[in-house]
């Protein structure tokens, strides 16, 4: 029989590298057809085509083809797991490899702020070459827990290509196993309970002129924020109703210009954004307009702003 092999429709990335037709194929004989797929210009993912093989005036055989274009980048290991003391960082190394034959530009993108990559990008990674990327883990975390995220590797400005999952367990260490509480008798309204030694102790000279109504611990920075209806903390100027206790140096200081009014009744810390939210019965925070009853304190810039 005479036979012919062809693709169904126009498939620019598919070509034949051997004869795709023949004359007088003898009974029970075999003919081979070789096709080639070219990934140039194709998006990553699966691409489908249909190969049709038939005989003159006879039946046709339909052969489905799937060509998968993989990302050029690979990352190893695919999962990173580590641990560190709360307030410190851990590091890990992943290897990024270009599996393509041509150079690519690449970028590393972290899913969360406590993961950073060095280097975070490369202008050209030669075909077949690899680069070591150091991951710094844990900066800014404020709680002892297992935290998860990922680092994604993208090439040529595309969205996420390949990624490595990251798990970091932060743990309390000596000096961090402390419970803070307000209203404890004999400690000037504020005390700390050391879990290991089962003992109470004061925070400096405590607060005076009123009660403690709100607490927020920034363990990563070693700061305890205290709010209430007190006139001062540790006798420090500018600590009316709002103050911060430095855990390492055991000293009181003001939070910006403090608040004006009656009291602070709520404190919430966003460790990811580095912001302390302050709520209560006050007319302004730090003298900033629009902060009556509610304000946010940016820890990095040490400024109050309205919400």
């Amino acid at each position: 029989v005479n036979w012919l092999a062809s693709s169904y429709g126009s498939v620019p990335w598919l070509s034949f590298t051997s004869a795709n037709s023949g004359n007088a194929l003898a009974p029970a004989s075999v003919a081979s057809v070789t096709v080639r797929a070219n990934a140039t210009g194709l998006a990553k993912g699966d691409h489908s085509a249909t190969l049709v093989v038939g005989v003159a005036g006879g039946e046709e055989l339909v052969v489905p083809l799937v060509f998968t274009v993989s990302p050029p980048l690979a990352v190893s290991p695919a999962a990173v797991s580590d641990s560190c003391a709360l307030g410190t960082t851990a590091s890990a190394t992943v290897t990024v490899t270009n599996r393509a034959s041509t150079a690519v530009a690449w970028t590393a993108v972290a899913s969360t702020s406590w993961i950073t990559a060095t280097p975070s990008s490369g202008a050209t990674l030669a075909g077949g070459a690899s680069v070591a990327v150091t991951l710094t883990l844990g900066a800014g975390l404020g709680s002892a827990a297992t935290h998860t995220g990922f680092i994604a590797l993208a090439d040529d400005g595309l969205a996420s290509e390949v990624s490595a999952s990251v798990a970091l367990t932060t743990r309390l260490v000596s000096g961090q196993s402390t419970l803070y509480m307000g209203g404890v008798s004999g400690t000037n309204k504020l005390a700390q309970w050391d879990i290991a030694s089962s003992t109470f102790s004061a925070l400096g000279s405590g607060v005076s002129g009123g009660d403690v109504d709100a607490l927020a611990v920034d363990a990563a920075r070693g700061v305890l924020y205290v709010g209430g209806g007190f006139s001062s903390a540790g006798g420090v100027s500018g600590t009316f109703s709002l103050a911060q206790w430095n855990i390492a140096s055991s000293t009181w200081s003001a939070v910006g210009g403090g608040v004006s009014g009656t009291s602070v009744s709520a404190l919430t810390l966003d460790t990811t954004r580095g912001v302390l939210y302050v709520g209560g019965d006050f007319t302004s925070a730090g003298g900033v307009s629009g902060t009556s009853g509610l304000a946010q304190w940016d820890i990095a810039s040490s400024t109050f702003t309205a919400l």
Side-chain angles (χ1 to χ4, degrees):
V1 295
N2 298 332
W3 63 274
L4 172 67
S6 63
S7 61
Y8 183 78
S10 175
V11 186
W13 50 266
L14 185 66
S15 61
F16 292 91
T17 58
S18 64
N20 65 323
S21 63
N23 297 321
L25 181 64
S29 296
V30 175
S32 297
V33 177
T34 305
V35 295
R36 178 178 182 273
N38 185 357
T40 303
L42 292 181
K44 295 161 186 65
D46 291 339
H47 300 266
S48 300
T50 300
L51 187 65
V52 180
V53 181
V55 297
E59 296 182 352
E60 293 181 339
L61 175 65
V62 176
V63 181
L65 302 177
V66 177
F67 179 44
T68 301
V69 180
S70 301
L73 297 179
V75 59
S76 178
V80 173
S81 180
D82 210 334
S83 65
C84 66
L86 189 63
T88 66
T89 59
S91 63
T93 301
V94 296
T95 300
V96 180
T97 301
N98 178 11
R99 299 180 297 183
S101 58
T102 57
V104 298
W106 63 275
T107 303
V109 181
S111 64
T112 179
S113 61
W114 57 265
I115 304 174
T116 59
T118 306
S120 60
S121 63
T124 54
L125 182 60
S130 298
V131 61
V133 177
T134 300
L135 305 181
T136 301
L137 313 174
L141 290 175
S143 61
T146 297
H147 310 269
T148 58
F150 63 87
I151 186 79
L153 284 305
D155 76 283
D156 297 330
L158 296 177
S160 175
E161 291 289 347
V162 293
S163 64
S165 63
V166 179
L168 179 69
T169 299
T170 52
R171 61 185 184 276
L172 292 172
V173 296
S174 177
Q176 293 178 320
S177 53
T178 302
L179 176 67
Y180 299 94
M181 59 193 72
V184 177
S185 176
T187 55
N188 287 340
K189 308 292 185 179
L190 184 63
Q192 55 186 345
W193 170 258
D194 187 274
I195 298 172
S197 63
S198 298
T199 56
F200 277 114
S201 60
L203 278 72
S205 58
V207 302
S208 58
D211 293 327
V212 171
D213 298 317
L215 299 172
V217 180
D218 187 343
R221 297 175 177 86
V223 173
L224 170 69
Y225 295 98
V226 181
F230 47 85
S231 57
S232 71
V236 175
S237 175
T239 56
F240 175 80
S241 296
L242 181 64
Q244 57 183 334
W245 170 258
N246 186 290
I247 298 171
S249 63
S250 297
T251 55
W252 287 104
S253 60
V255 179
V259 300
S260 301
T262 304
S263 64
V264 169
S265 57
L267 295 172
T268 299
L269 184 67
D270 184 340
T271 56
T272 301
R273 296 184 60 232
V275 172
L276 175 71
Y277 296 99
V278 182
D281 184 15
F282 50 85
T283 56
S284 71
V288 175
S289 176
T291 56
S292 175
L294 183 63
Q296 58 181 345
W297 168 255
D298 185 272
I299 297 172
S301 63
S302 298
T303 55
F304 277 113
T305 56
L307 277 79

